[in-house]
Amino acid sequence: MTDPREPLGGAPTGRSLQVETHGLDVIEDAERRGTPRTLFWPWFGANVSVLGLGYGAFAFGFGISFWQALGAGVLGIVVSFLLCGFIAVAGKRGSAPTMVLSRAAYGVRGNRLPSVVSWMLTVGWETVLTALATMATATVFGRLGWGGGTSTEVLGLLVVAALTVAGGVMGFDVIMRLQTWITLVTGVLTIVYIALVADRVHWSTVGAVPAGSAQECIGALVFMMTGFGLGWVNAAADYSRYLPRGSAGRGVIGWTAFGASLAPLVLLVFGLLLAGSSEELSKAVAADPIGALTTILPTWFLVPFAVVAVLGLVGGAVLDIYSSGLALLSAGLRVPRYLAALLDGVLMIAGAVYIVFFADDFLGQFTGFLTTLGVPIAAWAGVMLADLALRRRDYDEADLYRPHGRYGDVPLLPLFLTLAATAVGWGLVTNTAAGWLSWQGYLLEPFGLGGRTGAWAYANLGVLAALALAFLGTLLLGRGRVRAQETLDPTGHEVVSA
């Protein structure tokens, strides 16, 4: 029997690495191991990417000062990853993937709607990360005189895609080991990078950046939330499900939030200092977030920088492709998990090709993508968090797979709340840089917020509104449904008190 104290990052003694056979099924007690602190490794490894430095320039793009950007960034990162920590508790309570546990709130087949949205978000993220790693590789090679241009981008894309798809297909054990090494390598090299470019920080220039309005600060806060924790919240239980059922809930929350937040907080602060010191660098980051950071490096560190950039982005992409495969299965696709991950890999490559070779405006499309899918994901998170808060018992694992079990098939309340919160949310966000999203913001004028060109147009209140409406609606209206579910015994019959 597996030692429950064995670290998540290592395969059991005597067992070689192999393709994970688990899909949507519940992890048996004999296979659950580790302690909450081992969650630090996958979450830190997935978020140590130097892309975090680029968020400094992204924040200044909202027209705010250094201190305003710092406050919005810290609050957005910590709060959003705490949401991930809360949902990670569901993993150790139910030992199933996040989007299977979501069936307790949405019903077995009703859950297909949020599963599709979750799949779109994770595929989108893995595509963005792969494209950024490809562009960074080409930029570094170009500066070294080793090529650059289309041929180097094609080679970089093939290498990055191969690493990402291989990790996603192999599954849990490979990912946990990979993330441990990515954490160590990228952590050390990122510290070296910061030391090498520290002299580029000009405190007086940073301090002179003018302050923005409260609405612009809120817009930066929401962007940080969607770019960090809300981009992971739909996968938060995919790794905690391997923990023993008796693991401390506070430990799961704390180590998830701490591991995920630590690197982004450090990188954000230094990214703000770099971007605030150079308007030219800040603008360059918008076009090529990783490649722009190489322009201030000495030549001898370009290869190590390429390693840290690519590994950091691959670390995030691997977790995304693993979770996107699980979301696709939860949406109804009937194939083995590794085939779902492989299919997502094909879509990821196609999307990365578009971004690298055809898209003109990275930041505008990226912001539009985050905000648009951030609204329904925030609504889902609100429903999920409230449903989890209402439950006093662990999940009935068998009924998570039975349409006629306690959780139901297609309950209307959670679907209505999600759709209504999403409709309100999209009406309160704007994405002018992405023309295909110009239809959003339709509630800004009726709500007296100045319309699509007013002061509140770029605050992106819709993400916060969707989260709050779905959470409060479920908390107020879903209590009776949860209590009715928890009065049933494991066979589905009502428990009668003696």
Side-chain angles (χ1 to χ4, degrees):
M1 182 173 178
T2 302
D3 185 347
R5 297 167 298 176
E6 183 181 346
L8 285 170
T13 304
R15 192 179 82 185
S16 60
L17 292 178
Q18 54 190 317
V19 175
E20 180 188 1
T21 57
H22 289 297
L24 299 184
D25 52 312
V26 171
I27 306 303
E28 298 296 332
D29 288 341
E31 296 185 67
R32 291 200 283 264
R33 58 188 185 275
T35 62
R37 69 174 178 272
T38 53
L39 292 171
F40 174 87
W41 298 104
W43 287 110
F44 186 92
N47 290 282
V48 73
S49 165
V50 291
L51 177 60
L53 292 169
Y55 274 85
F58 298 160
F60 279 128
F62 284 87
I64 56 180
S65 70
F66 169 79
W67 292 108
Q68 288 175 322
L70 180 62
V74 171
L75 188 61
I77 290 169
V78 173
V79 170
S80 62
F81 279 125
L82 275 173
L83 298 182
C84 290
F86 287 124
I87 289 182
V89 172
K92 71 100 178 179
R93 291 177 64 179
S95 304
T98 313
M99 298 314 296
V100 170
L101 298 170
S102 176
R103 293 174 177 177
Y106 283 89
V108 175
R109 288 193 296 177
N111 190 61
R112 291 181 180 178
L113 174 63
S115 293
V116 169
V117 176
S118 174
W119 173 73
M120 292 171 62
L121 181 65
T122 46
V123 169
W125 262 114
E126 69 202 43
T127 300
V128 166
L129 296 176
T130 300
L132 288 176
T134 300
M135 291 189 289
T137 303
T139 301
V140 169
F141 276 47
R143 280 201 61 197
L144 289 170
W146 295 353
T150 303
S151 58
T152 305
E153 288 174 333
V154 170
L155 179 61
L157 177 59
L158 291 175
V159 172
V160 171
L163 289 172
T164 302
V165 173
V169 169
M170 290 296 292
F172 183 80
D173 279 339
V174 168
I175 289 174
M176 297 304 290
R177 292 191 181 187
L178 180 66
Q179 295 297 75
T180 301
W181 284 105
I182 286 177
T183 296
L184 296 173
V185 173
T186 55
V188 171
L189 292 180
T190 299
I191 293 173
V192 175
Y193 175 89
I194 291 175
L196 287 173
V197 300
D199 61 343
R200 299 278 183 161
V201 174
H202 305 293
W203 293 97
S204 58
T205 306
V206 174
V209 176
S213 65
Q215 294 92 331
E216 289 167 331
C217 288
I218 294 173
L221 167 67
V222 173
F223 180 79
M224 291 296 175
M225 292 183 67
T226 55
F228 287 101
L230 286 181
W232 287 110
V233 70
N234 54 310
D238 291 353
Y239 305 94
S240 56
R241 67 185 174 129
Y242 276 89
L243 289 174
R245 201 181 296 274
S247 301
R250 290 183 179 180
V252 172
I253 295 169
W255 283 106
T256 297
F258 176 64
S261 299
L262 180 59
L265 288 173
V266 174
L267 292 169
L268 172 69
V269 172
F270 199 72
L272 286 170
L273 293 173
L274 285 177
S277 300
S278 171
E279 185 177 351
E280 180 182 355
L281 175 64
S282 186
K283 291 180 179 179
V285 167
D288 183 1
I290 308 298
L293 298 172
T294 67
T295 60
I296 57 177
L297 279 174
T299 304
W300 67 266
F301 192 69
L302 287 176
V303 171
F305 176 81
V307 171
V308 67
V310 170
L311 284 181
L313 294 167
V314 166
V318 166
L319 261 67
D320 275 319
I321 197 171
Y322 179 76
S323 293
S324 69
L326 293 174
L328 189 56
L329 296 180
S330 183
L333 184 66
R334 296 182 180 276
V335 298
R337 183 206 58 80
Y338 63 87
L339 285 182
L342 189 61
L343 173 61
D344 287 347
V346 173
L347 295 175
M348 174 193 76
I349 294 171
V353 166
Y354 171 75
I355 293 175
V356 172
F357 299 105
F358 300 102
D360 297 324
D361 173 21
F362 170 79
L363 182 56
Q365 305 301 321
F366 180 53
T367 304
F369 161 73
L370 284 183
T371 306
T372 300
L373 286 185
V375 169
I377 284 296
W380 170 85
V383 171
M384 185 70 177
L385 287 165
D387 182 83
L388 185 62
L390 290 171
R391 296 191 181 278
R392 299 293 178 265
R393 298 170 56 183
D394 286 347
Y395 296 99
D396 185 317
E397 295 163 354
D399 276 358
L400 289 171
Y401 303 87
R402 294 194 292 234
H404 301 295
R406 74 184 65 218
Y407 302 122
D409 191 11
V410 188
L412 296 181
L413 176 62
L415 292 173
F416 170 77
L417 288 174
T418 302
L419 293 174
T422 299
V424 172
W426 279 339
L428 295 175
V429 300
T430 58
N431 288 288
T432 56
W436 55 285
L437 298 173
S438 60
W439 54 270
Q440 295 176 354
Y442 45 81
L443 292 178
L444 290 169
E445 184 71 37
F447 283 11
L449 298 174
R452 292 185 173 94
T453 58
W456 289 98
Y458 307 104
N460 289 326
L461 291 175
V463 175
L464 299 178
L467 177 64
L469 288 173
F471 179 81
L472 293 174
T474 303
L475 210 59
L476 293 173
L477 303 176
R479 187 179 304 272
R481 179 169 176 264
V482 172
R483 290 291 174 266
Q485 292 171 357
E486 294 192 334
T487 59
L488 302 177
D489 66 17
T491 65
H493 296 95
E494 186 173 359
V495 178
V496 179
S497 301

